[in-house]
Amino acid sequence: MIDTSISSCANSNASLGIDQACFSILNLYINPVIFYAIAWEAYTGTGVPLATLTPKSNTSLIISTKYPLHIYYQTVEPHKNYEYCHTTYTFKEYGSYGWNISSADICSNIYVIHEPRNSYFPILTAFMIYILLAVTWTTSKVIIRVIRGKLSPNNVYDDLNRLQEENTTHPVIRVTKFSSRIQSVDAFRGIAILLMIFVNNGGGKYVFFNHSAWFGLSVADLILPWFAWIMGMSITISKRAELRLTTSRVKITLCCLRRSAILILLGLMLNSIDSKSLNDLRFPGILQLLAVSYFVCAILETIFMKPHSQDILLQFGRFAIFRDILDSWPQWLIMAGIMTTHTLITFFLHMPNCPTGYFGPGGKYHYRGKYMNCTAGAAGYIDRLIFGNHTYSKIKDSIYGQILRYDPEGLMNTISAIFIVYLGVHAGKILLLYYQGNARLIRWFLWAIFTGIIAGILCNFENEGGVIPVSKRMMTLSYVLTCSSFAFLLYAILYFLIDYKQFWSGAPFIYAGINPIFLYVGHVLTKDLFPWAWNIAHPSHASLLAMNLWTTTLWAIIAYLLYRKDIIITI
């Protein structure tokens, strides 16, 4: 989090790196003091000691600008170790700041010596470039159609150009593997996978494009739940189609088992890239989590789903308006049982020397190290008990210090993912059981509001508050509901624009959404290889953002080429 070395950075920005600023502290106090700092969101009474400030001197430190910092100093007089001048400040990248300490509890406000740079300008520039390219591409296609004399409303709205006419009297329909796909589903999935590629490659080293420290929500924290959610919607669509083709439920079950096994194998293969031996091979992982959650929800739908919708009024009568819920009440009962079990384990499982219901990271700097060996609460305890060393290997946290091993895709988090997938399954039920676009949109919006409100109540509408705080690292229930709320909302918007009103074809995201697993595995294997990535001698937000966007764009181009060749790589 903070460079503890003393530096002469006050006179030059040359020594500053990404997310760093210079902080000069003038100690006019008659005694030396110890300077402390810690990210504000992690402050619970203890900071990280950075430097001892000698009396009557100026000390320059390189400090992090990733998060707002809580700073203070402590005296080192015999029997008088008091803390003074607690304050929180948001430092900006490449800025130079000053702070004067004159006596006990008498400090100046933090002042700016040299103005910081605008580190967000590269994002604005990149956004404008992509908008310009999109407008240019769309305009050129319209002009070409005008020149060819084939301009029509269908051509304007159908950028995929799946239905083309050779002349006005003999239309030729191009039938491909993609012709019967729901474009809004592919677009949603494509957004998730391209965001995942961008974030996994670094996201330009911007904080909001990386996972939150422990509590709270960032852009990166939405991606995996969205991918799981849209996978659930695909389960509903595919299983209904398979059952209508009179495929036996046993055969469907075996296909689900095969697909899950392949995903788990692929996940273990990708984990082996960072493992030195089988003794420390990580067993959980993203693909493993998706495999298990997919299998549970797919099997439930295979067992309980009706292949053909019966007459709604005869089946549900006056309650037909709730047919999406009533049609799948056994699945909802099972989901309620699963999440109730998950919650009871979280709040009542006994852990040695740890409180029940703990959601924190543990470590030296969370609650003054009181729960140092309680990382991730019940979820972390279960993962360490079952998987041992076969879990996520990172135990040095930049904010909380040394923490115990845990796995963000461990057993308890996989159970949470099952609920995310099933909420996507339910979104698919709305798509299948309601035939009017307005009825579908209203229900998706209502579910977005409902899940969002429940999530807010659980976390008290705070990052680290309420009965169940929002935490991606533990996939808490409030986090699951928050991400699902955004998923319902995003999909409703995509459906309205793409399938309902046909204002947009969904390009270029639909191409990536057709082969998502291929793109995910491919980007992991080529993560550090040219032409996807290269070494940058003096990295900055701008240079890293350009490289990460190029990587993402290259995979989008590969996805488009697969589409043009009519290739779908499935497992």
Side-chain angles (χ1 to χ4, degrees):
M1 179 182 69
I2 299 174
D3 192 326
T4 57
S5 62
I6 298 176
S7 169
S8 59
C9 62
N11 299 321
S12 174
N13 283 340
S15 60
L16 297 178
I18 295 176
D19 293 327
Q20 289 184 340
C22 183
F23 191 33
S24 298
I25 306 174
L26 179 61
N27 181 17
L28 300 175
Y29 196 46
I30 59 175
N31 294 310
V33 298
I34 302 175
F35 174 67
Y36 289 81
I38 192 169
W40 169 242
E41 64 180 85
Y43 178 68
T44 52
T46 303
V48 181
L50 297 189
T52 299
L53 311 178
T54 56
K56 306 293 183 179
S57 66
N58 184 60
T59 304
S60 296
L61 302 173
I62 295 177
I63 110 181
S64 172
T65 62
K66 286 186 177 181
Y67 312 99
L69 292 182
H70 184 80
I71 62 175
Y72 61 95
Y73 73 86
Q74 183 183 72
T75 59
V76 291
E77 301 174 74
H79 310 294
K80 296 176 65 177
N81 294 328
Y82 299 126
E83 297 175 359
Y84 296 108
C85 296
H86 283 263
T87 187
T88 302
Y89 193 83
T90 302
F91 296 91
K92 300 295 180 65
E93 186 181 50
Y94 299 134
S96 181
Y97 301 86
W99 195 37
N100 300 337
I101 301 172
S102 57
S103 63
D105 206 23
I106 299 179
C107 306
S108 71
N109 293 326
I110 296 175
Y111 52 91
V112 178
I113 300 174
H114 297 294
E115 290 292 335
R117 299 180 190 175
N118 185 351
S119 58
Y120 303 114
F121 183 74
I123 297 179
L124 177 61
T125 303
F127 178 76
M128 296 304 296
I129 291 174
Y130 275 96
I131 290 294
L132 180 61
L133 290 174
V135 171
T136 303
W137 174 260
T138 304
T139 304
S140 64
K141 291 181 70 175
V142 172
I143 292 174
I144 291 173
R145 288 170 184 168
V146 171
I147 294 173
R148 291 178 177 177
K150 296 181 180 180
L151 184 62
S152 70
N154 286 336
N155 286 345
V156 173
Y157 294 141
D158 190 4
D159 287 336
L160 292 179
N161 203 20
R162 290 176 178 168
L163 301 178
Q164 299 180 349
E165 295 183 354
E166 287 186 351
N167 52 60
T168 58
T169 57
H170 300 287
V172 176
I173 300 177
R174 181 192 175 208
V175 179
T176 70
K177 296 177 182 177
F178 315 106
S179 301
S180 60
R181 298 176 70 92
I182 301 175
Q183 291 177 311
S184 56
V185 174
D186 284 334
F188 188 106
R189 193 186 294 112
I191 290 172
I193 192 63
L194 290 179
L195 268 176
M196 186 179 292
I197 292 172
F198 175 67
V199 166
N200 287 353
N201 279 276
K205 291 297 182 181
Y206 287 100
V207 174
F208 44 82
F209 287 140
N210 286 275
H211 293 296
S212 53
W214 193 272
F215 298 105
L217 200 66
S218 69
V219 175
D221 296 330
L222 294 169
I223 299 171
L224 179 58
W226 282 1
F227 197 87
W229 187 91
I230 200 64
M231 182 175 69
M233 177 174 272
S234 300
I235 288 173
T236 304
I237 298 168
S238 62
K239 297 311 163 198
R240 173 63 65 86
E242 290 170 8
L243 289 171
R244 281 184 171 179
L245 293 173
T246 65
T247 306
S248 76
R249 296 181 191 264
V250 174
K251 185 176 180 180
I252 295 175
T253 300
L254 293 176
C255 288
C256 293
L257 181 61
R258 177 188 62 83
R259 188 168 192 262
S260 298
I262 293 175
L263 283 174
I264 291 174
L265 179 60
L266 285 174
L268 291 173
M269 291 171 62
L270 295 181
N271 286 353
S272 68
I273 296 175
D274 299 322
S275 296
K276 298 178 181 179
S277 67
L278 291 177
N279 294 328
D280 64 351
L281 175 65
R282 181 188 175 201
F283 288 165
I286 290 177
L287 292 183
Q288 294 91 313
L289 176 143
L290 292 175
V292 174
S293 56
Y294 164 82
F295 182 76
V296 172
C297 291
I299 290 303
L300 285 177
E301 292 307 299
T302 300
I303 295 173
F304 294 107
M305 178 181 276
K306 305 175 184 67
H308 300 281
S309 298
Q310 301 175 11
D311 186 278
I312 300 300
L313 292 177
L314 291 177
Q315 187 177 5
F316 301 115
R318 69 180 66 179
F319 299 106
I321 192 174
F322 301 112
R323 57 184 175 271
D324 54 322
I325 299 175
L326 297 175
D327 188 67
S328 53
W329 65 266
Q331 296 97 306
W332 274 112
L333 284 179
I334 294 173
M335 281 299 123
I338 289 174
M339 292 313 298
T340 299
T341 302
H342 181 279
T343 304
L344 291 175
I345 292 174
T346 299
F347 281 98
F348 297 107
L349 178 67
H350 173 72
M351 299 171 286
N353 303 316
C354 294
T356 55
Y358 179 70
F359 291 95
K364 182 178 180 180
Y365 299 108
H366 193 246
Y367 288 110
R368 298 182 181 270
K370 184 179 180 180
Y371 308 123
M372 182 179 293
N373 297 320
C374 305
T375 300
Y381 178 72
I382 290 173
D383 287 341
R384 290 188 292 273
L385 195 64
I386 295 176
F387 299 116
N389 290 332
H390 300 283
T391 56
Y392 192 58
S393 60
K394 185 179 179 180
I395 58 175
K396 181 65 176 178
D397 189 89
S398 59
I399 292 179
Y400 300 102
Q402 193 86 1
I403 61 175
L404 296 185
R405 294 182 78 122
Y406 81 101
D407 206 292
E409 285 82 43
L411 182 61
M412 291 287 283
N413 290 10
T414 300
I415 295 175
S416 296
I418 292 173
F419 188 47
I420 298 175
V421 174
Y422 191 74
L423 287 171
V425 168
H426 186 74
K429 294 287 180 66
I430 294 173
L431 183 68
L432 294 181
L433 295 176
Y434 297 91
Y435 304 115
Q436 293 182 335
N438 287 338
R440 294 168 174 172
L441 289 170
I442 289 172
R443 280 160 178 81
W444 287 324
F445 276 120
L446 288 176
W447 273 96
I449 294 171
F450 175 72
T451 52
I453 290 175
I454 297 301
I457 293 173
L458 291 176
C459 68
N460 199 27
F461 294 94
E462 299 173 358
N463 284 342
E464 187 180 355
V467 180
I468 303 179
V470 176
S471 174
K472 189 272 175 188
R473 305 297 182 104
M474 293 186 63
M475 281 202 181
T476 57
L477 182 57
S478 58
Y479 166 77
V480 166
L481 292 173
T482 301
C483 294
S484 298
S485 175
F486 284 118
F488 277 109
L489 180 61
L490 176 60
Y491 184 76
I493 294 172
L494 291 175
Y495 175 81
F496 176 81
L497 294 175
I498 298 172
D499 291 321
Y500 186 42
K501 292 296 184 180
Q502 296 185 343
F503 291 146
W504 175 40
S505 69
F509 301 110
I510 55 171
Y511 311 131
I514 292 169
N515 288 294
I517 298 299
F518 171 78
L519 265 61
Y520 175 79
V521 174
H523 102 272
V524 172
L525 295 177
T526 61
K527 189 175 181 180
D528 298 318
L529 302 179
F530 184 83
W532 288 274
W534 52 86
N535 183 54
I536 299 176
H538 302 288
S540 64
H541 279 306
S543 60
L544 290 173
L545 180 66
M547 183 176 70
N548 298 153
L549 286 174
W550 160 248
T551 303
T552 307
T553 302
L554 185 56
W555 279 111
I557 293 172
I558 292 172
Y560 175 73
L561 294 176
L562 290 174
Y563 158 76
R564 293 297 300 174
K565 295 293 184 180
D566 202 20
I567 298 174
I568 299 180
I569 302 173
T570 60
I571 56 175

